[in-house]
Amino acid sequence: MIKKRVIIAGSGFSGIALSHYLKTSGIEDFTILEKAGGLGGTWRENTYPGAECDIGSALYSFSFAPNPTWDFKWARGQQILSYIQKTADDFGITPHIAFNQAVKSAVYNDDSRRWAVTTTDGNIYDAQFFISAVGQLHHPNIPNFPGRDSFEGVSFHAAQWDAGADLTGKRIAVIGSAASAVQLIPEVAKIAGHLDVYQRSPNWMIPKIDAPEGPIEKTLAKYLPWWSKVRRLSLWCQGEYIVWPTIKGARVRGAILKTLANWNMRRAVKDKALRKTLTPDYPIGAKRILFSDHYYPAIMRENVSLITCAADEILSGGVKGKDGVTRDCDVIIYATGFHTNPFLMQIDVTGTGGKPLTDHWREGAQAYLGMTVPGFPNMAMLYGPNTNTGHTSVIYFAECQAKYIAQWVKAAGEGALDVKPDVEAAFNIEVQSRLKKLPWDAIDASWYKDGDKITNNWCGGSREYRKRTKILTVSDFEQV
Ligand code: NAP
């Protein structure tokens, strides 16, 4: 049994942010349990060609670790991974990570008021605090297509990229046309013999207008720290004052983004009928707005066919669409998203009186400010329920949570803090009633939802979230 003050599960952006703010609060007695052999979370796992960020690098980075050496305005996946690794090294966090330690369960002991955190290989950590930083998008979802096992070619999920698969000259089917698909399709199209893109629903997509960071920009960023701060602020303002109001239904800003999206499509797609099939029938912002300069040109390539229906069935030699047509292929790439519910899948969490967390979440996940749950003293989450954002950087949210949790750990002292049930319940009612007014609610099924309940997204702007998490209100909790 290894005794620690704080056990953190996961060493992605959230786990590193929390470690940093614990350290700056003088708390060094913590360990990050990382299931894999390396850190980096989603950026370690997603190695598909074209993987890159869809939030500008100056904002998709830690406020405490600006990076003057980004090679592109929208960083590529490999450079983001290197950045996380370097930050963990520079800030003395790497020695706190125990690799290949997948958390299996976390059980609260009412008598000792401590957590027993057990890993899949049987290690038990005795901790005052158990904090999850496992993220929301790491359980690949492949729909249960009839006949999937009968496929005789190569198939894999985008987030489990098969680097050994030779795609050159092959007939390839990509199922899905959202954030992951629009990044990998332009790269795969370059080498495929033929590529079928199964688009069940189109997406609003605005231009990225990406470019390499030139020597002047890199020099400015290196020697003038305010330069990066101004760029960060400008990106934050775009998300907060253009995209977020659009999601809420602001007409003029929505019209501007739609005009940009239409221009993005028109500059590559000259055929009016094809443009129609690529144009969503839902309001801009109701699903994640995508960014790409390369997707529409890829769709126009001679070796690419846009199949405007869902994939329905997998056969030994290909994919059958909802249109009833079977199209042969050698490779299937599933860009079909992730299982995002239940939260903390694969970790059995048990709170006071032996109550499982799944009991509290029977109607869908919820947590006060997305972090704490009544009956689970000294347990918290980063990137927990209702903390995802469709308009800005999740790292901004992770830092808000990390600072809040560092205050909360200090406030608990030697004891245990449990959020008051009425505080959490009132918060959840407020969040859900506000979410009901947003267009995400009108979409039948998305990764934002568990049944009818929006469990993943925050209901407001990031400024509001920062304000509400800036200073811990100790009276929201009771000592147990
Ligand atoms: P996703 O948004 O859940 O998209 C899944 C796609 O699969 C959708 O296009 C969906 O169609 C489609 N699909 C599901 N079943 C299908 C079927 N039977 N036939 C055809 N299509 C089918 O998943 P994702 O693209 O992996 O993105 C998930 C999230 O990851 C994003 O929202 C974003 O937050 C994050 N992400 C971020 C980046 C980045 O740049 N930072 C990159 C990739 C992903 P429908 O739209 O009709 O449901």
Side-chain angles (χ1 to χ4, degrees):
M1 177 113 56
I2 304 153
K3 207 166 176 178
K4 283 280 158 191
R5 183 151 189 225
V6 183
I7 286 292
I8 303 167
S11 66
F13 264 113
S14 296
I16 302 301
L18 177 60
S19 302
H20 172 68
Y21 287 107
L22 287 177
K23 283 170 85 76
T24 55
S25 305
I27 298 159
E28 289 283 346
D29 185 12
F30 69 91
T31 291
I32 304 180
L33 302 180
E34 168 53 56
K35 70 176 178 189
L39 56 79
T42 196
W43 296 103
R44 183 199 58 241
E45 299 207 348
N46 282 274
T47 57
Y48 59 79
E52 60 187 40
C53 197
D54 58 8
I55 300 289
S57 318
L59 185 59
Y60 198 82
S61 45
F62 294 117
S63 63
F64 58 85
N67 179 16
T69 63
W70 290 122
D71 287 330
F72 287 88
K73 296 190 177 12
W74 312 71
R76 306 300 188 252
Q78 274 310 306
Q79 196 176 17
I80 300 173
L81 180 59
S82 305
Y83 166 79
I84 306 173
Q85 287 164 339
K86 183 174 183 309
T87 305
D89 287 344
D90 290 351
F91 288 83
I93 294 163
T94 311
H96 287 267
I97 308 176
F99 292 105
N100 300 307
Q101 295 288 294
V103 175
K104 190 174 82 172
S105 67
V107 179
Y108 183 73
N109 183 315
D110 293 292
D111 299 325
S112 66
R113 295 182 300 160
R114 293 180 69 86
W115 287 88
V117 181
T118 307
T119 62
T120 47
D121 60 4
N123 287 329
I124 303 174
Y125 293 80
D126 169 21
Q128 187 188 355
F129 295 90
F130 170 61
I131 299 171
S132 163
V134 299
Q136 292 191 8
L137 294 155
H138 57 114
H139 294 293
N141 173 29
I142 301 181
N144 201 10
F145 293 111
R148 191 156 80 81
D149 293 340
S150 69
F151 184 61
E152 286 169 0
V154 174
S155 66
F156 49 88
H157 190 277
Q160 294 166 327
W161 196 260
D162 182 350
D166 179 12
L167 305 183
T168 311
K170 297 282 165 41
R171 295 167 304 171
I172 301 171
V174 172
I175 302 181
S177 59
S180 299
V182 303
Q183 293 188 345
L184 69 89
I185 283 168
E187 297 305 314
V188 171
K190 285 179 196 164
I191 53 170
H194 187 84
L195 172 60
D196 287 329
V197 175
Y198 285 83
Q199 171 196 274
R200 186 167 65 182
S201 12
N203 291 282
W204 291 108
M205 192 179 312
I206 56 181
K208 248 184 166 174
I209 315 184
D210 198 6
E213 291 281 81
I216 296 176
E217 281 150 323
K218 285 191 179 183
T219 308
L220 284 170
K222 188 170 174 192
Y223 294 109
L224 300 175
W226 58 263
W227 171 259
S228 301
K229 283 189 183 160
V230 168
R231 292 182 79 185
R232 187 178 172 86
L233 181 65
S234 127
L235 288 167
W236 181 81
C237 287
Q238 287 167 38
E240 198 70 4
Y241 299 116
I242 300 176
V243 185
W244 173 235
T246 298
I247 293 173
K248 284 195 294 180
R251 291 213 185 134
V252 176
R253 279 163 281 195
I256 293 170
L257 288 186
K258 256 177 139 168
T259 306
L260 261 178
N262 288 332
W263 171 76
N264 195 25
M265 195 191 301
R266 273 168 190 271
R267 65 182 172 151
V269 185
K270 303 298 171 200
D271 178 60
K272 204 172 166 188
L274 182 57
R275 283 206 301 268
K276 201 164 174 219
T277 62
L278 286 162
T279 305
D281 60 3
Y282 54 82
I284 189 160
K287 287 191 190 180
R288 189 179 175 89
I289 298 171
L290 306 183
F291 295 81
S292 177
D293 298 326
H294 306 302
Y295 180 69
Y296 293 130
I299 291 297
M300 294 313 297
R301 289 175 66 109
E302 283 194 351
N303 66 335
V304 177
S305 304
L306 180 71
I307 316 297
T308 53
C309 68
D312 204 23
E313 193 178 338
I314 309 295
L315 306 168
S316 60
V319 178
K320 188 173 174 189
K322 268 263 188 241
D323 57 1
V325 178
T326 299
R327 295 168 184 90
D328 292 344
C329 63
D330 311 303
V331 180
I332 302 175
I333 300 168
Y334 296 102
T336 42
F338 299 86
H339 289 290
T340 53
N341 275 287
F343 274 72
L344 303 196
M345 207 185 295
Q346 291 179 351
I347 304 179
D348 290 328
V349 182
T350 307
T352 51
K355 186 180 167 189
L357 186 56
T358 45
D359 271 16
H360 187 73
W361 285 351
R362 208 168 275 144
E363 307 294 319
Q366 61 186 59
Y368 179 52
L369 296 169
M371 290 184 268
T372 53
V373 180
F376 296 80
N378 284 3
M379 190 207 102
M381 289 163 283
L382 287 97
Y383 203 15
N386 297 111
T387 60
N388 181 57
T389 160
H391 71 277
T392 189
S393 170
V394 287
I395 298 164
Y396 183 92
F397 279 69
E399 282 197 55
C400 293
Q401 291 149 13
K403 289 179 200 167
Y404 178 96
I405 290 171
Q407 291 177 54
W408 171 80
V409 167
K410 287 203 100 167
E414 297 300 309
L417 285 182
D418 198 5
V419 65
K420 292 177 178 166
D422 57 328
V423 169
E424 188 247 18
F427 173 80
N428 185 52
I429 289 167
E430 180 209 331
V431 167
Q432 289 303 322
S433 71
R434 287 173 60 185
L435 285 168
K436 281 272 168 225
K437 296 182 190 126
L438 293 174
W440 303 319
D441 191 53
I443 300 287
D444 281 346
S446 76
W447 71 264
Y448 298 159
K449 281 177 142 183
D450 186 5
D452 283 341
K453 181 173 174 177
I454 298 178
T455 46
N456 292 65
N457 284 9
W458 171 235
C459 60
S462 57
R463 187 160 170 255
E464 179 191 342
Y465 190 77
R466 178 163 183 248
K467 211 169 148 199
R468 291 177 76 159
T469 52
K470 197 168 179 190
I471 295 168
L472 176 88
T473 307
V474 180
S475 59
D476 287 342
F477 297 85
E478 51 202 359
Q479 278 279 0
V480 292

